[in-house]
Amino acid sequence: MSMADVHDLARYARGALIDAAQVTLMVYGVESPPMRAPQIVMREHDGQPTFLCESGSPIVTAARAGRPALLAVPTCDSEGADLTATFAGRLRPVRVERANGVPVDVVVLVLITVFVEQVGGRRVDKVRHEIPLDVYENAEPETSLERYADHASTHVNGCHQDDLRRFVAASQGITLDSVAGACLTGLDAYGGDLHWVDAVGAHTMAIRFTEPARTTKQLGDQLCWQLSGIRLQEST
């Protein structure tokens, strides 16, 4: 397989996490598939699988023990051929955030191996390609800018609620406790709107990029720069 093919597969794998409608998560020492539990939600952040979990869920317990895990996500290539992107690593707890006013544990899958399986009509037709982590991490996701913007808003609102509140408090010169909640909406290539509620009432702040984003990386970088008070980069 050529390096061009490896880069293509890396883009498909990155895009698979963003557009995932169905995933399978297997965790060492956990008998039942934890992703069937309604209290667990998967998000993608810079290519890293991220899970929002209710405290006490099996995945939180497994993450505290650093258990190995494997995540499989069905996807397809540019010609519609079936692929399966698989992400292997160890679970690690990151922090506790608030989602819809409820504390949730944020858990990441620290990647060790990423591979893509090309699925043929018969089992013998299946071919598995391992993707170097540096190629995967630097790949541009194979997804539309609109879908990525929706995904980025969902990630920021779900995984960084406390950080959004801190950003509002710092930018408005008010106390953190006075900010009941904050939400980023309408994100596109040009920016978005940040809404919050404090002791006075409801407010909106326009977030405008210095120039329109043309790629998903540009959109992510612009958002990080505009909301520089938010820790958008997960520690690894």
Side-chain angles (χ1 to χ4, degrees), residues 136-158:
Y136 172 78
E137 290 167 354
N138 291 300
E140 178 76 11
E142 181 71 14
T143 187
S144 70
L145 195 64
E146 292 77 12
R147 285 201 299 267
Y148 183 82
D150 289 341
H151 157 79
S153 296
T154 300
H155 173 81
V156 170
N157 291 332

Side-chain angles (χ1 to χ4, degrees), residues 86-200:
T86 303
F87 309 85
R90 288 184 177 273
L91 295 173
R92 182 170 62 81
V94 176
R95 62 182 181 275
V96 177
E97 282 285 354
R98 285 173 37 169
N100 298 322
V102 179
V104 295
D105 285 81
V106 180
V107 171
V108 299
L109 178 60
V110 180
L111 296 176
I112 297 174
T113 305
V114 176
F115 55 89
V116 173
E117 186 177 59
Q118 294 176 303
V119 184
R122 302 172 300 165
R123 180 172 296 274
V124 295
D125 294 329
K126 295 183 180 180
V127 180
R128 191 173 77 170
H129 304 285
E130 184 171 344
I131 303 172
L133 282 181
D134 61 331
V135 174
Y136 172 78
E137 290 167 354
N138 291 300
E140 178 76 11
E142 181 71 14
T143 187
S144 70
L145 195 64
E146 292 77 12
R147 285 201 299 267
Y148 183 82
D150 289 341
H151 157 79
S153 296
T154 300
H155 173 81
V156 170
N157 291 332
C159 296
H160 296 279
Q161 178 60 209
D162 289 347
D163 295 319
L164 279 175
R165 292 173 57 240
R166 291 189 190 98
F167 175 79
V168 169
S171 64
Q172 300 301 308
I174 57 180
T175 64
L176 177 62
D177 289 342
S178 69
V179 184
C183 179
L184 179 67
T185 66
L187 185 64
D188 59 19
Y190 300 92
D193 295 308
L194 183 61
H195 311 272
W196 74 94
V197 176
D198 58 24
V200 177

